[in-house]
Amino acid sequence: MEPVKIEGKQTLSREDAAAFLSGLADQLAAGDEVELDRQGVHFEFVVPEEVELEVELEIKEDETELEIELHWSVDVGPWAVSSALGGVDSA
C-alpha cells in the first residue's frame, strides 16, 4: 500500500486551535475511531489503545514551534480518506 500523507497549515486564533485540539482529544478519549476534515479531505481512521506521544518545543529568535505527534502501528484496523473531489480510498 502506498503511504498517505496529507499536510496543511492554516492560521487560526488560539481559541480555534484549542477547539480543534480539544475535539480531537474528545474523539481519542471516546473510542478508537477518529474522523477529521482538513482542507476538503475527510479522514476516518482507527487509533489503538496505546500510542507513542512525541512533543517537541523549539524556541527560535523569530518564532516558537510546538509539535505534537502520535505514532502507532498501522495493523490496528482500517482507514478511509475521501475528498471533496469524490471517491473514497481505504485499506
Side-chain angles (χ1 to χ4, degrees):
M1 175 178 78
E2 289 294 317
V4 173
K5 184 174 183 175
I6 300 170
E7 293 182 301
K9 292 183 181 182
Q10 69 184 108
T11 301
L12 299 172
S13 69
R14 186 178 59 234
E15 183 178 343
D16 287 344
F20 171 78
L21 292 171
S22 178
L24 180 58
D26 288 347
Q27 287 188 71
L28 287 169
D32 63 353
E33 293 184 12
V34 175
E35 294 186 25
L36 291 174
D37 291 297
R38 303 298 292 164
Q39 299 178 332
V41 179
H42 180 77
F43 307 89
E44 296 177 18
F45 52 95
V46 174
V47 180
E49 277 293 314
E50 188 170 288
V51 299
E52 180 181 324
L53 172 66
E54 181 179 339
V55 178
E56 179 181 332
L57 176 64
E58 186 174 350
I59 301 172
K60 302 177 190 175
E61 286 185 33
D62 60 341
E63 74 175 357
T64 300
E65 182 175 315
L66 172 63
E67 291 184 18
I68 302 169
E69 295 184 10
L70 298 176
H71 303 264
W72 62 87
S73 174
V74 295
D75 62 353
V76 297
W79 57 268
V81 176
S82 63
S83 72
L85 302 175
V88 174
D89 295 323
S90 61

PDB file of all heavy atoms in Angstrom, residues 68-88:
ATOM      1  N   ILE A  68       3.146  18.281  18.213  1.00  0.00           N
ATOM      2  CA  ILE A  68       2.577  17.168  18.963  1.00  0.00           C
ATOM      3  C   ILE A  68       2.269  16.068  17.964  1.00  0.00           C
ATOM      4  O   ILE A  68       1.503  16.285  17.024  1.00  0.00           O
ATOM      5  CB  ILE A  68       1.294  17.587  19.702  1.00  0.00           C
ATOM      6  CG1 ILE A  68       1.602  18.754  20.656  1.00  0.00           C
ATOM      7  CG2 ILE A  68       0.682  16.401  20.442  1.00  0.00           C
ATOM      8  CD1 ILE A  68       0.384  19.413  21.226  1.00  0.00           C
ATOM      9  N   GLU A  69       2.889  14.919  18.127  1.00  0.00           N
ATOM     10  CA  GLU A  69       2.701  13.807  17.197  1.00  0.00           C
ATOM     11  C   GLU A  69       2.285  12.560  17.956  1.00  0.00           C
ATOM     12  O   GLU A  69       2.775  12.289  19.050  1.00  0.00           O
ATOM     13  CB  GLU A  69       3.993  13.511  16.429  1.00  0.00           C
ATOM     14  CG  GLU A  69       4.442  14.626  15.524  1.00  0.00           C
ATOM     15  CD  GLU A  69       5.673  14.254  14.708  1.00  0.00           C
ATOM     16  OE1 GLU A  69       6.073  13.054  14.700  1.00  0.00           O
ATOM     17  OE2 GLU A  69       6.245  15.150  14.079  1.00  0.00           O
ATOM     18  N   LEU A  70       1.388  11.813  17.351  1.00  0.00           N
ATOM     19  CA  LEU A  70       1.019  10.485  17.842  1.00  0.00           C
ATOM     20  C   LEU A  70       1.463   9.474  16.800  1.00  0.00           C
ATOM     21  O   LEU A  70       1.243   9.674  15.602  1.00  0.00           O
ATOM     22  CB  LEU A  70      -0.494  10.378  18.046  1.00  0.00           C
ATOM     23  CG  LEU A  70      -1.122  11.301  19.059  1.00  0.00           C
ATOM     24  CD1 LEU A  70      -2.642  11.121  19.057  1.00  0.00           C
ATOM     25  CD2 LEU A  70      -0.570  11.059  20.446  1.00  0.00           C
ATOM     26  N   HIS A  71       2.070   8.376  17.255  1.00  0.00           N
ATOM     27  CA  HIS A  71       2.525   7.310  16.352  1.00  0.00           C
ATOM     28  C   HIS A  71       1.954   5.990  16.844  1.00  0.00           C
ATOM     29  O   HIS A  71       1.846   5.762  18.040  1.00  0.00           O
ATOM     30  CB  HIS A  71       4.061   7.203  16.370  1.00  0.00           C
ATOM     31  CG  HIS A  71       4.765   8.454  16.006  1.00  0.00           C
ATOM     32  ND1 HIS A  71       5.217   8.697  14.743  1.00  0.00           N
ATOM     33  CD2 HIS A  71       5.086   9.540  16.739  1.00  0.00           C
ATOM     34  CE1 HIS A  71       5.807   9.888  14.717  1.00  0.00           C
ATOM     35  NE2 HIS A  71       5.740  10.421  15.919  1.00  0.00           N
ATOM     36  N   TRP A  72       1.613   5.096  15.878  1.00  0.00           N
ATOM     37  CA  TRP A  72       1.166   3.754  16.228  1.00  0.00           C
ATOM     38  C   TRP A  72       1.342   2.853  15.022  1.00  0.00           C
ATOM     39  O   TRP A  72       1.507   3.297  13.901  1.00  0.00           O
ATOM     40  CB  TRP A  72      -0.281   3.740  16.713  1.00  0.00           C
ATOM     41  CG  TRP A  72      -1.297   4.204  15.708  1.00  0.00           C
ATOM     42  CD1 TRP A  72      -1.926   3.444  14.755  1.00  0.00           C
ATOM     43  CD2 TRP A  72      -1.797   5.534  15.533  1.00  0.00           C
ATOM     44  NE1 TRP A  72      -2.784   4.218  14.018  1.00  0.00           N
ATOM     45  CE2 TRP A  72      -2.719   5.513  14.476  1.00  0.00           C
ATOM     46  CE3 TRP A  72      -1.547   6.754  16.164  1.00  0.00           C
ATOM     47  CZ2 TRP A  72      -3.384   6.654  14.032  1.00  0.00           C
ATOM     48  CZ3 TRP A  72      -2.214   7.886  15.725  1.00  0.00           C
ATOM     49  CH2 TRP A  72      -3.118   7.815  14.680  1.00  0.00           C
ATOM     50  N   SER A  73       1.267   1.552  15.282  1.00  0.00           N
ATOM     51  CA  SER A  73       1.385   0.552  14.232  1.00  0.00           C
ATOM     52  C   SER A  73       0.156   0.614  13.326  1.00  0.00           C
ATOM     53  O   SER A  73      -0.963   0.820  13.804  1.00  0.00           O
ATOM     54  CB  SER A  73       1.496  -0.830  14.867  1.00  0.00           C
ATOM     55  OG  SER A  73       1.473  -1.822  13.872  1.00  0.00           O
ATOM     56  N   VAL A  74       0.339   0.421  12.035  1.00  0.00           N
ATOM     57  CA  VAL A  74      -0.772   0.516  11.087  1.00  0.00           C
ATOM     58  C   VAL A  74      -1.606  -0.750  10.997  1.00  0.00           C
ATOM     59  O   VAL A  74      -2.592  -0.783  10.280  1.00  0.00           O
ATOM     60  CB  VAL A  74      -0.284   0.903   9.671  1.00  0.00           C
ATOM     61  CG1 VAL A  74       0.307   2.283   9.677  1.00  0.00           C
ATOM     62  CG2 VAL A  74       0.694  -0.121   9.143  1.00  0.00           C
ATOM     63  N   ASP A  75      -1.251  -1.774  11.730  1.00  0.00           N
ATOM     64  CA  ASP A  75      -2.005  -3.029  11.650  1.00  0.00           C
ATOM     65  C   ASP A  75      -3.192  -3.081  12.615  1.00  0.00           C
ATOM     66  O   ASP A  75      -3.727  -4.135  12.886  1.00  0.00           O
ATOM     67  CB  ASP A  75      -1.094  -4.224  11.884  1.00  0.00           C
ATOM     68  CG  ASP A  75      -0.463  -4.233  13.263  1.00  0.00           C
ATOM     69  OD1 ASP A  75      -0.621  -3.246  14.010  1.00  0.00           O
ATOM     70  OD2 ASP A  75       0.204  -5.226  13.575  1.00  0.00           O
ATOM     71  N   VAL A  76      -3.647  -1.909  13.083  1.00  0.00           N
ATOM     72  CA  VAL A  76      -4.728  -1.896  14.064  1.00  0.00           C
ATOM     73  C   VAL A  76      -6.115  -1.853  13.448  1.00  0.00           C
ATOM     74  O   VAL A  76      -7.098  -2.059  14.123  1.00  0.00           O
ATOM     75  CB  VAL A  76      -4.590  -0.714  15.050  1.00  0.00           C
ATOM     76  CG1 VAL A  76      -3.316  -0.853  15.838  1.00  0.00           C
ATOM     77  CG2 VAL A  76      -4.664   0.605  14.334  1.00  0.00           C
ATOM     78  N   GLY A  77      -6.234  -1.559  12.170  1.00  0.00           N
ATOM     79  CA  GLY A  77      -7.569  -1.521  11.597  1.00  0.00           C
ATOM     80  C   GLY A  77      -7.628  -0.674  10.347  1.00  0.00           C
ATOM     81  O   GLY A  77      -6.628  -0.141   9.887  1.00  0.00           O
ATOM     82  N   PRO A  78      -8.809  -0.551   9.797  1.00  0.00           N
ATOM     83  CA  PRO A  78      -8.982   0.154   8.530  1.00  0.00           C
ATOM     84  C   PRO A  78      -8.927   1.661   8.692  1.00  0.00           C
ATOM     85  O   PRO A  78      -9.085   2.202   9.774  1.00  0.00           O
ATOM     86  CB  PRO A  78     -10.384  -0.285   8.098  1.00  0.00           C
ATOM     87  CG  PRO A  78     -11.092  -0.527   9.389  1.00  0.00           C
ATOM     88  CD  PRO A  78     -10.052  -1.082  10.319  1.00  0.00           C
ATOM     89  N   TRP A  79      -8.700   2.315   7.578  1.00  0.00           N
ATOM     90  CA  TRP A  79      -8.785   3.766   7.500  1.00  0.00           C
ATOM     91  C   TRP A  79      -9.468   4.104   6.197  1.00  0.00           C
ATOM     92  O   TRP A  79      -9.540   3.288   5.277  1.00  0.00           O
ATOM     93  CB  TRP A  79      -7.407   4.419   7.570  1.00  0.00           C
ATOM     94  CG  TRP A  79      -6.467   3.941   6.498  1.00  0.00           C
ATOM     95  CD1 TRP A  79      -5.580   2.905   6.591  1.00  0.00           C
ATOM     96  CD2 TRP A  79      -6.350   4.441   5.163  1.00  0.00           C
ATOM     97  NE1 TRP A  79      -4.919   2.727   5.407  1.00  0.00           N
ATOM     98  CE2 TRP A  79      -5.370   3.661   4.505  1.00  0.00           C
ATOM     99  CE3 TRP A  79      -6.961   5.458   4.457  1.00  0.00           C
ATOM    100  CZ2 TRP A  79      -4.998   3.881   3.180  1.00  0.00           C
ATOM    101  CZ3 TRP A  79      -6.585   5.676   3.145  1.00  0.00           C
ATOM    102  CH2 TRP A  79      -5.611   4.885   2.520  1.00  0.00           C
ATOM    103  N   ALA A  80      -9.974   5.292   6.084  1.00  0.00           N
ATOM    104  CA  ALA A  80     -10.598   5.739   4.841  1.00  0.00           C
ATOM    105  C   ALA A  80     -10.346   7.224   4.685  1.00  0.00           C
ATOM    106  O   ALA A  80     -10.320   7.968   5.655  1.00  0.00           O
ATOM    107  CB  ALA A  80     -12.103   5.458   4.852  1.00  0.00           C
ATOM    108  N   VAL A  81     -10.158   7.635   3.438  1.00  0.00           N
ATOM    109  CA  VAL A  81      -9.969   9.040   3.116  1.00  0.00           C
ATOM    110  C   VAL A  81     -10.880   9.368   1.947  1.00  0.00           C
ATOM    111  O   VAL A  81     -10.901   8.657   0.952  1.00  0.00           O
ATOM    112  CB  VAL A  81      -8.498   9.331   2.704  1.00  0.00           C
ATOM    113  CG1 VAL A  81      -8.338  10.787   2.288  1.00  0.00           C
ATOM    114  CG2 VAL A  81      -7.544   8.984   3.824  1.00  0.00           C
ATOM    115  N   SER A  82     -11.656  10.404   2.071  1.00  0.00           N
ATOM    116  CA  SER A  82     -12.455  10.858   0.940  1.00  0.00           C
ATOM    117  C   SER A  82     -12.240  12.357   0.790  1.00  0.00           C
ATOM    118  O   SER A  82     -11.935  13.055   1.745  1.00  0.00           O
ATOM    119  CB  SER A  82     -13.945  10.552   1.148  1.00  0.00           C
ATOM    120  OG  SER A  82     -14.444  11.248   2.273  1.00  0.00           O
ATOM    121  N   SER A  83     -12.401  12.845  -0.411  1.00  0.00           N
ATOM    122  CA  SER A  83     -12.167  14.260  -0.649  1.00  0.00           C
ATOM    123  C   SER A  83     -13.399  14.884  -1.287  1.00  0.00           C
ATOM    124  O   SER A  83     -14.305  14.199  -1.752  1.00  0.00           O
ATOM    125  CB  SER A  83     -10.969  14.459  -1.557  1.00  0.00           C
ATOM    126  OG  SER A  83     -11.272  14.087  -2.883  1.00  0.00           O
ATOM    127  N   ALA A  84     -13.392  16.192  -1.336  1.00  0.00           N
ATOM    128  CA  ALA A  84     -14.482  16.926  -1.969  1.00  0.00           C
ATOM    129  C   ALA A  84     -14.539  16.608  -3.464  1.00  0.00           C
ATOM    130  O   ALA A  84     -15.555  16.828  -4.111  1.00  0.00           O
ATOM    131  CB  ALA A  84     -14.299  18.428  -1.746  1.00  0.00           C
ATOM    132  N   LEU A  85     -13.449  16.089  -4.006  1.00  0.00           N
ATOM    133  CA  LEU A  85     -13.401  15.731  -5.429  1.00  0.00           C
ATOM    134  C   LEU A  85     -14.065  14.390  -5.706  1.00  0.00           C
ATOM    135  O   LEU A  85     -14.222  13.987  -6.835  1.00  0.00           O
ATOM    136  CB  LEU A  85     -11.959  15.697  -5.920  1.00  0.00           C
ATOM    137  CG  LEU A  85     -11.182  17.010  -5.740  1.00  0.00           C
ATOM    138  CD1 LEU A  85      -9.731  16.813  -6.156  1.00  0.00           C
ATOM    139  CD2 LEU A  85     -11.824  18.109  -6.565  1.00  0.00           C
ATOM    140  N   GLY A  86     -14.456  13.699  -4.644  1.00  0.00           N
ATOM    141  CA  GLY A  86     -15.153  12.425  -4.806  1.00  0.00           C
ATOM    142  C   GLY A  86     -14.239  11.246  -4.562  1.00  0.00           C
ATOM    143  O   GLY A  86     -13.027  11.339  -4.611  1.00  0.00           O
ATOM    144  N   GLY A  87     -14.861  10.150  -4.291  1.00  0.00           N
ATOM    145  CA  GLY A  87     -14.121   8.906  -4.113  1.00  0.00           C
ATOM    146  C   GLY A  87     -13.675   8.687  -2.691  1.00  0.00           C
ATOM    147  O   GLY A  87     -13.450   9.617  -1.953  1.00  0.00           O
ATOM    148  N   VAL A  88     -13.539   7.432  -2.349  1.00  0.00           N
ATOM    149  CA  VAL A  88     -13.058   7.034  -1.037  1.00  0.00           C
ATOM    150  C   VAL A  88     -11.981   5.995  -1.268  1.00  0.00           C
ATOM    151  O   VAL A  88     -12.152   5.045  -2.019  1.00  0.00           O
ATOM    152  CB  VAL A  88     -14.191   6.435  -0.172  1.00  0.00           C
ATOM    153  CG1 VAL A  88     -13.626   5.887   1.122  1.00  0.00           C
ATOM    154  CG2 VAL A  88     -15.270   7.457   0.098  1.00  0.00           C
TER     155      VAL A  88
END
